[in-house]
Amino acid sequence: MLTVDVGERTADETVIDEVLEATVGGRATATALAHERIPFDADPFGAENRAYLSTGPLQQSQMSFTGRMNMTGLSPLTDGLVSTNAGGYLSRNFVATGYSVLEIAGESEELLAVHVTDDGVEFEEVPELEGATVPETSDYVENQQGLGPEHCIAIGPAGENRVRFASVMTFDSRAFGRGGLGAVLGSKNVKCVTFDGNVEPPLEIPNPPESEIHREAATSDDRMRTQGTTGGTEFINDNFSLPTRYFREYEFEGAADIGGNAVEEKKYKKGACSACAYACKLPTRDEETGVETEGPEFETVYAFGSQQGVDDIVDVMQANELCDTLGMDTISAGVTVAAYLDSVDEFGNAELAQELTEKIARREGIGDTLAEGVARCHEELGVENYTVKGMEFAAHDGRVLHGQGLSYAVANRGADHMYASMLSLEYAGQLDPDGTLGKAETLVDRENHNAFRDTGIVCAFGDDYVTEERLETLFDANYEELALVGARTVELERHFNNQRGFDRDDDGVPYDLPDIEDAIVEYYDARGWSDDGTVSDARLEPVAGAALSDD
Ligand code: SF4
């Protein structure tokens, strides 16, 4: 692990072999380190908060579905620990520096660019980048360092201005989106970090299955490969799971105009993450207006489309581009804008929505209020507080998919769909969407699975290819052992949050769900946690603390 203290301008290496042996990499490793090294009473915007970028063993391969990285820290949006995951091309350049984890600590007085190589760390004061957008920052890095955006993480004005849902961007268009870690970098005065090196990956990945997975990814005829996540928009709408006009409705009459076909029409070339033959990304362009972006993905179609009553795909593309450029999570930004449109009865006003998006990033006028997120501004707006633990909802309506609703209620990260993805089972008919009781064991399995997936690290869209059986071969372990790594991660997140005061009162959704109280208790039982939603100290196994040693 490389620790960069941006206040002291020091760089130190710590041997974390034993931590990695116990936690594998990615989210599990970063969570164990964060649990050990971020004080339980830390201010998310304080020098004592730390941000962790981490890879897993699979980032040392050239296998499809592995062009991903994890980022973990204390969230200014939820006030708890969050991990978030981004694609792009960064992971290989990160591995080439020779590190598994970068820990960013302290707080700089000057705006900084930090350059990490296999030959040391350089701190560069960059006052000229104050207020710069993400692409402007990338251009600067390209000019000064000769490194493209695939070598870089950067924040935009939203991160600098501590917008609570600011993202950390890489490759200009890929976001460590949820939970506001962009604002954490902003509070540390870190504008960007670059990674460059020539270290050969020390691990060999078993093959098969590496080449089998690659071949299957390259030859798959999944609709995801042409329409990305937007391919499911109309199906989700038909299932009444596309929250519309700030949760007033469950389906959107304009879904077809902003769904998969509409996006595919604007797609002008293939897009992928590093080494991924599945290539599900969506570079899009509208010839008439010149609007160009990567995406929108389905969640952006929801947040800046149905939730705002906007039915023109070019408007959604434009909003997507604004969020990427300014450095904001499209889900939280879009839903917060939708809350405002509700308060002024302006649903469908895409021009106003885009104006608000800019104002949020720069904290201008009403944007300063909205930059706090729905949980903190809903009273001023006079609208319902549709959040869990301060995080705005993803689509996939928990009022219809009750298992997904239960997941939103108890997830340590808040109202995020990727934490357990119960939605996939409920859409597929493998789980009856009605009712919350009897689903706790499945939910625990899904949370553990996803936590390990974020640890390995495997893309969420690779589940059909990187199967449990193949994970066993890749990691030379039983699936149960891998799931246990995931379970410990969820438990450490919970324990950390408990120390900050989170308990039973923080688990729940802002709408009625059948038997939700009993289902939450079932979930605690399945996890072995107390009825008040807490994890006792005695349950924790020492991982990071016992094993850390200075190099
Ligand atoms: S499946 Fe799509 S998002 Fe996942 S790594 Fe491949 S290109 Fe990236």
Side-chain angles (χ1 to χ4, degrees):
M1 172 170 70
L2 176 70
T3 299
V4 167
D5 186 317
V6 294
E8 301 293 326
R9 303 207 186 166
T10 55
D12 295 297
E13 292 182 3
T14 307
V15 174
I16 58 166
D17 291 2
E18 288 177 47
V19 182
L20 285 170
E21 268 173 40
T23 59
V24 181
R27 176 171 152 199
T29 301
T31 301
L33 292 166
H35 186 277
E36 183 65 29
R37 293 161 73 91
I38 300 175
F40 292 138
D41 62 353
D43 174 352
F45 291 141
E48 65 277 20
N49 193 4
R50 291 165 185 246
Y52 295 86
L53 268 175
S54 54
T55 57
L58 294 178
Q59 280 56 60
Q60 301 189 22
S61 75
Q62 290 297 320
M63 196 178 92
S64 287
F65 305 111
T66 62
R68 314 284 310 182
M69 281 197 65
N70 172 76
M71 193 164 187
T72 297
L74 175 56
S75 163
L77 188 68
T78 69
D79 204 43
L81 214 52
V82 294
S83 288
T84 167
N85 188 288
Y89 295 79
L90 182 70
S91 57
R92 269 69 192 184
N93 292 318
F94 187 96
V95 165
T97 64
Y99 298 107
S100 295
V101 178
L102 170 69
E103 178 184 53
I104 304 172
E107 183 183 284
S108 169
E109 283 183 11
E110 310 293 333
L111 194 62
L112 282 185
V114 181
H115 304 296
V116 177
T117 71
D118 51 353
D119 195 29
V121 175
E122 191 196 318
F123 298 90
E124 181 194 4
E125 293 185 6
V126 286
E128 60 271 54
L129 288 182
E130 192 181 328
T133 63
V134 173
E136 285 165 356
T137 306
S138 296
D139 286 349
Y140 176 89
V141 168
E142 179 106 49
N143 290 335
Q144 299 293 316
Q145 304 284 325
L147 297 174
E150 69 278 12
H151 286 266
C152 191
I153 58 167
I155 60 168
E160 283 182 68
N161 292 326
R162 303 187 185 189
V163 174
R164 287 186 187 270
F165 41 83
S167 55
V168 175
M169 303 299 296
T170 177
F171 197 56
D172 285 346
S173 56
R174 313 300 171 82
F176 295 93
R178 306 237 67 191
L181 295 184
V184 172
L185 288 198
S187 71
K188 296 184 176 307
N189 250 333
V190 174
K191 184 70 180 172
C192 61
V193 186
T194 64
F195 302 89
D196 193 30
N198 291 303
V199 175
E200 286 293 321
L203 286 184
E204 272 192 34
I205 302 298
N207 188 18
E210 183 180 0
S211 58
E212 290 172 355
I213 290 169
H214 213 54
R215 189 177 61 247
E216 288 171 22
T219 54
S220 159
D221 58 4
D222 289 355
R223 186 152 22 133
M224 270 286 289
R225 299 195 67 212
T226 51
Q227 300 190 349
T229 47
T230 61
T233 309
E234 288 174 73
F235 170 81
I236 292 162
N237 193 48
D238 292 345
N239 276 276
F240 306 105
S241 302
L242 189 66
T244 294
R245 295 184 187 85
Y246 197 61
F247 303 97
R248 286 170 182 266
E249 293 147 79
Y250 298 76
E251 56 177 335
F252 184 44
E253 69 284 355
D257 298 321
I258 55 173
N261 291 337
V263 171
E264 193 180 354
E265 261 179 43
K266 304 292 181 192
K267 190 175 166 183
Y268 66 96
K269 63 174 182 180
K270 272 193 163 305
C273 303
S274 165
C276 187
Y278 197 65
C280 75
K281 305 314 291 180
L282 301 164
T284 55
R285 183 163 59 210
D286 178 58
E287 300 298 344
E288 206 178 311
T289 56
V291 172
E292 195 172 319
T293 190
E294 187 172 290
E297 296 291 348
F298 165 69
E299 289 294 339
T300 314
V301 161
Y302 143 81
F304 276 94
S306 66
Q307 279 284 42
Q308 298 180 9
V310 168
D311 61 3
D312 185 334
I313 190 59
V314 181
D315 286 328
V316 181
M317 285 165 59
Q318 178 67 28
N320 186 66
E321 186 59 15
L322 270 179
C323 286
D324 285 358
T325 302
L326 300 166
M328 288 192 289
D329 173 31
T330 59
I331 303 177
S332 286
V335 173
T336 305
V337 167
Y340 180 81
L341 297 180
D342 189 0
S343 73
V344 294
D345 200 15
E346 281 284 352
F347 285 125
N349 188 341
E351 203 178 318
L352 175 59
Q354 287 164 27
E355 203 180 295
L356 291 166
T357 305
E358 296 245 20
K359 283 187 170 163
I360 291 172
R362 304 197 193 281
R363 280 193 179 268
E364 287 169 8
I366 185 69
D368 190 32
T369 303
L370 301 181
E372 292 294 296
V374 166
R376 292 172 176 84
C377 75
H378 72 98
E379 278 178 13
E380 191 172 332
L381 300 184
V383 299
E384 291 291 321
N385 178 14
Y386 280 111
T387 61
V388 176
K389 301 183 179 73
M391 182 176 277
E392 291 75 14
F393 277 92
H396 314 294
D397 205 320
R399 296 172 297 183
V400 175
L401 308 170
H402 294 164
Q404 183 58 43
L406 174 62
S407 169
Y408 287 138
V410 297
N412 292 327
R413 188 159 60 205
D416 184 64
H417 58 308
M418 303 302 280
Y419 201 81
S421 313
M422 292 287 276
L423 58 103
S424 359
L425 302 178
E426 294 185 322
Y427 283 138
Q430 292 166 18
L431 194 64
D432 184 351
D434 281 336
T436 56
L437 289 177
K439 293 181 175 176
E441 297 280 349
T442 307
L443 175 55
V444 166
D445 287 347
R446 297 295 305 176
E447 286 185 338
N448 295 350
H449 174 86
N450 288 10
F452 183 75
R453 194 180 65 195
D454 295 343
T455 290
I457 300 170
V458 179
C459 178
F461 307 135
D463 272 354
D464 289 345
Y465 305 87
V466 192
T467 57
E468 290 180 7
E469 203 182 345
R470 283 171 164 172
L471 283 174
E472 289 185 332
T473 309
L474 288 165
F475 288 92
D476 191 20
N478 295 326
Y479 180 74
E480 287 68 32
E481 293 176 83
L482 304 179
L484 190 59
V485 173
R488 286 207 191 108
T489 303
V490 172
E491 193 151 294
L492 272 184
E493 290 171 348
R494 171 68 55 155
H495 182 266
F496 185 99
N497 290 357
N498 290 154
Q499 308 316 302
R500 293 180 67 76
F502 283 76
D503 59 19
R504 172 71 191 80
D505 291 343
D506 298 286
D507 288 333
V509 281
Y511 41 74
D512 291 335
L513 279 186
D515 307 309
I516 184 68
E517 299 299 324
D518 291 341
I520 289 174
V521 172
E522 276 187 358
Y523 172 78
Y524 295 157
D525 284 349
R527 280 266 173 228
W529 297 346
S530 309
D531 281 355
D532 64 354
T534 63
V535 175
S536 66
D537 292 347
R539 281 186 64 86
L540 297 187
E541 292 175 33
V543 178
L548 283 179
S549 61
D550 289 334
D551 189 19

